[in-house]
Amino acid sequence: MYKASGASLKGVAAALAIAAGLAAAPNADALTKQERRALAGAIVGGVAGSLLSHGDPWATAGGALAGGAIGGVSGHDDRRDRWREDARQREWERRERERREWEWRERERRQNNYWRDR
C-alpha cells in the first residue's frame, strides 16, 4: 500500500494506474495529441480520485472519466494540421505538374520554330 499525505492508494486503483501507464507507453507514437492528452488525463484523474476518496473504486473511476474528458477537450486535434499539410502537398504537386506541362509546351514551341526557320 502506498501512502501519500495521509491518503492511501489501494491495490485496484494502483493496478489500474500502472496498467494504463504501461499500456500507453509503447503505443504513444500511434496516438494523436488529443488522444495522448485524454489518456494522461484519465490516469491523473484516476489517481487523484483514488487519493481523495481513500481508494473508493467509484471515485477512482469517476476521476478517471473526468480527467479523460478534460484531457480530451484540452488543446486542438492535430488531424487539422495533417489536413493542412496534405493541402500544401496537393498544391505543390499541382504547381509542379503545371510547371512540367509549361516546360513541355515551351520545348515543343521552340522545336517547331527551329524547324520552321530552316
Side-chain angles (χ1 to χ4, degrees), residues 1-19 43 46-61:
M1 183 161 35
Y2 174 76
K3 295 269 186 183
S5 66
S8 64
L9 182 64
K10 296 201 178 175
V12 175
L16 286 175
I18 291 170
I43 293 170
V47 170
S50 179
L51 288 173
L52 293 174
S53 68
H54 301 289
D56 181 26
W58 288 104
T60 303

Side-chain angles (χ1 to χ4, degrees), residues 31-110:
L31 300 176
T32 64
K33 187 185 297 184
Q34 185 178 15
E35 291 167 342
R36 284 192 305 268
R37 287 181 178 180
L39 184 61
I43 293 170
V44 170
V47 170
S50 179
L51 288 173
L52 293 174
S53 68
H54 301 289
D56 181 26
W58 288 104
T60 303
L65 183 65
I70 292 170
V73 298
S74 68
H76 71 282
D77 188 7
D78 57 343
R79 289 187 192 125
R80 290 185 295 179
D81 295 335
R82 287 189 204 142
W83 181 83
R84 286 188 190 112
E85 286 296 320
D86 289 345
R88 286 187 196 117
Q89 180 68 25
R90 285 192 303 269
E91 179 66 18
W92 182 85
E93 289 170 353
R94 183 186 65 80
R95 288 182 181 181
E96 187 66 17
R97 189 172 51 249
E98 288 176 355
R99 183 189 64 79
R100 280 193 222 114
E101 289 173 1
W102 180 84
E103 286 178 351
W104 181 81
R105 284 193 306 267
E106 187 66 18
R107 193 176 324 120
E108 289 289 318
R109 186 186 64 79
R110 285 182 185 157

